[in-house]
Amino acid sequence: MSETPAVGIDIGGSGIKGAPVDLGAGAFAAERVRIPTPQPATPDAVAETVVKVLDQLGVPGAVGLTLPAVVRHGIVETAANIDHEWIGTDAVKLFSNATGRAVGVVNDADAAGLAEMRYGAGKAKTGVVLVATLGTGIGSALFSNGELVPNTELGHLHLHHHGVAEKFAAESVREQHDLSWKDWAERLQKYFEFVEELLWPELIIVGGGVSKKADKFLPRVKLRTEIVPAQLYNDAGIIGAAHFAPRDVL
Ligand code: BGC
């Protein structure tokens, strides 16, 4: 089956990254392009950069994009780690007008989680699986028998005595406070213990760029739930995004 690869674009706080994705293989069909995220990252500035990424890729067709925000029916509802101008923006309209293409827009962790479930650490896993991404914030993607429950915001849980989870245990917090792996793992322990008490998942997959260094912190996190590193690392966002490109126009 030869089909046009869908394009996936992952919009993050520091970079906007895109690649054509072979959805059968769950892999990039050509080299990825990365352009730094404009500052301030307003909707118009980001849309302009997305157009540049697409120009550099030079691949036609539908596009799936991620945002680090709740996105329902194309509308951005939150802006924890992005410019507040995004709230209320019709992101599907914004990006389809800017690019002239059919687009789908999805929460970044949901996209990365879907890619892990299809091609990575969650492949063929049934029951309740949680994918948590550790980066600037903490993203979450919840699956029941492989089916995504979109827009869970489990990085915003309030931990007893420690406040909002992502302000206590995100990867960016480890960097800012120069925490040792041991100290950070203790924070993750508190976070994941709380999460497993509430959700009783069968598997937790830990993603985000830092999952490459999982051996430094994950063995220290002891849970009743199996907890494993993601396998697609930073590619998961782009690969998952491509899944949300409208298929009927491919
Ligand atoms: C946002 C989520 C996002 C996560 C990871 C959180 O602050 O609220 O929507 O998935 O960061 O980027």
Side-chain angles (χ1 to χ4, degrees), residues 17-18 20-22 26 39 60 63-65 67 80 85 87 99 118 142-144 162 165 176 179 191 205 235 250:
K17 297 162 284 182
V21 174
D22 174 341
Q39 300 301 338
V63 186
L65 302 109
L67 282 173
E85 235 190 78
I87 294 182
T99 64
R118 292 275 161 92
L142 187 66
F143 295 85
S144 172
H162 301 298
Q176 274 155 25
L179 297 178
Y191 174 60
I205 300 171
D235 295 352
L250 280 177

Side-chain angles (χ1 to χ4, degrees), residues 1-2 33 58 73 92 103 108 128 132 142 161 167 170 183-184 187 198 202 210 234 250:
M1 190 176 67
S2 82
V33 165
H73 312 295
V92 165
V103 308
D108 57 353
V128 173
L142 187 66
H161 309 301
K167 303 235 177 300
D183 288 347
W184 188 48
R187 293 185 179 211
L198 296 175
E202 276 161 58
V210 75
N234 270 337
L250 280 177

Side-chain angles (χ1 to χ4, degrees), residues 27-39:
F28 295 169
E31 205 150 316
R32 68 160 217 186
V33 165
R34 180 186 187 279
I35 300 184
T37 306
Q39 300 301 338

Side-chain angles (χ1 to χ4, degrees), residues 67-70 78 80-81 107-109 133 137-140 152-153 156 166:
L67 282 173
V70 169
T78 64
N81 290 311
N107 170 266
D108 57 353
T133 62
I138 296 181
S140 60
T152 55
E153 285 283 313
H156 292 268
E166 71 174 12

Side-chain angles (χ1 to χ4, degrees), residues 197-210:
E197 248 173 54
L198 296 175
L199 293 176
W200 290 83
E202 276 161 58
L203 175 68
I204 297 175
I205 300 171
V206 178
V210 75

Side-chain angles (χ1 to χ4, degrees), residues 18-161:
V21 174
D22 174 341
L23 292 175
F28 295 169
E31 205 150 316
R32 68 160 217 186
V33 165
R34 180 186 187 279
I35 300 184
T37 306
Q39 300 301 338
T42 57
D44 286 340
V46 168
E48 255 176 53
T49 309
V50 163
V51 170
K52 285 187 198 147
V53 169
L54 285 171
D55 285 349
Q56 286 192 25
L57 287 173
V59 178
V63 186
L65 302 109
T66 74
L67 282 173
V70 169
V71 185
R72 280 193 311 178
H73 312 295
I75 313 287
V76 180
E77 308 275 6
T78 64
N81 290 311
I82 55 168
D83 197 281
H84 278 245
E85 235 190 78
W86 279 97
I87 294 182
T89 298
D90 184 334
V92 165
K93 204 163 159 193
L94 172 81
F95 291 123
S96 52
N97 285 346
T99 64
R101 303 185 190 212
V103 308
V105 184
V106 61
N107 170 266
D108 57 353
D110 283 349
L114 190 85
E116 281 299 328
M117 293 302 287
R118 292 275 161 92
Y119 314 107
K123 206 169 162 184
K125 296 284 181 194
T126 53
V128 173
V129 178
L130 176 71
V131 182
T133 62
L134 305 174
T136 309
I138 296 181
S140 60
L142 187 66
F143 295 85
S144 172
N145 292 328
E147 196 66 30
L148 172 67
V149 179
N151 289 312
T152 55
E153 285 283 313
L154 300 181
H156 292 268
L157 282 175
H158 284 242
L159 301 178
H160 309 301
H161 309 301

